[in-house]
Amino acid sequence: MRGKPFTLLELMVVMAIIAITTTLAVSTFRGESPTRKVENASLSFHAFCARVRYAAMENGSDRVVAFDPATRRFVAEDPNAAIDDDSPVTAVWELPEDFELDTSLDEAEAGERGTVEIFRFFSDGSANASREFILRYRKSQRRFMVSPLTGLLLVNEEEVED
C-alpha cells in the first residue's frame, strides 16, 4: 500500500525546523562571544560593587574595594579592621581568566595588606572617585569609575584600537 507524497508546504516546514535547530545547536556549541563575556564580567563586577556600597550603608562604616595583584582579585575590606585581623575581607570578585586590567595601579602603591585601594564607599552612600580602571578582553573593554556624589558605579563601553 502506497501513501500520499509530501506536499511542498510540509517539506518547507520540516526544512525550516531543521534550520532553526541547527542554528541553535551551533550557537550553543560555539560558546560565548567576547562581547558577551565582557558584558557578563561587567555586570558581575557592578553587582559586587553594589554589595560593597550597601554593606557600607547598612553597617554605618566605610568599605573599600581593593585590588590584590598577587591573586588577581578585587576584595571588599573594612579599612577600620586591624591589620592582623584574619577577616577584614567581606566579599571577593575574581578577575575572569584571560581578562586584562589596564590601570595605573602599580605594586608600589600597595597598602599593608598587599592590596591597592580602588574605591572607598562611605556610610552615606557616597564614595571617593580617586581611581578608574579598564577591564579588557580581546577587542572589547569597559572603563569603570565611581560617582563621588551618588557612589554609583559608572561604566563606559569602549573598543580597543589596533
Side-chain angles (χ1 to χ4, degrees), residues 2 8 22 26 28 38 45 51 55 68 72 74 76 85 89 96 103 109 111 134 140-141 149:
R2 198 169 163 191
L8 181 60
T22 304
V26 167
T28 300
V38 170
F45 184 74
R51 282 193 313 267
D68 185 352
R72 292 175 41 96
F74 286 88
D85 187 5
V89 175
T103 183
E109 298 178 28
I134 298 173
S140 297
Q141 66 182 23
L149 184 60

Side-chain angles (χ1 to χ4, degrees), residues 98-112:
D98 298 331
F99 277 69
E100 298 174 21
L101 191 63
D102 185 17
T103 183
S104 62
L105 303 177
D106 54 6
E107 300 206 17
E109 298 178 28
E112 297 168 344

Side-chain angles (χ1 to χ4, degrees), residues 76-152:
E77 299 176 337
D78 181 356
N80 301 322
I83 299 300
D84 57 350
D85 187 5
D86 291 338
S87 61
V89 175
T90 58
V92 175
W93 186 78
E94 192 164 336
L95 192 62
E97 193 173 315
D98 298 331
F99 277 69
E100 298 174 21
L101 191 63
D102 185 17
T103 183
S104 62
L105 303 177
D106 54 6
E107 300 206 17
E109 298 178 28
E112 297 168 344
R113 292 188 175 105
T115 59
V116 179
E117 183 177 323
I118 305 294
F119 308 129
R120 181 179 292 248
F121 294 102
F122 303 113
S123 60
D124 64 354
S126 64
N128 76 344
S130 61
R131 298 194 192 282
E132 64 180 47
F133 68 92
I134 298 173
L135 184 65
R136 180 178 293 147
Y137 180 74
R138 295 186 185 170
K139 291 190 177 195
S140 297
Q141 66 182 23
R142 299 286 166 96
R143 180 181 303 272
F144 294 92
M145 58 202 106
V146 69
S147 168
L149 184 60
T150 63
L152 298 176

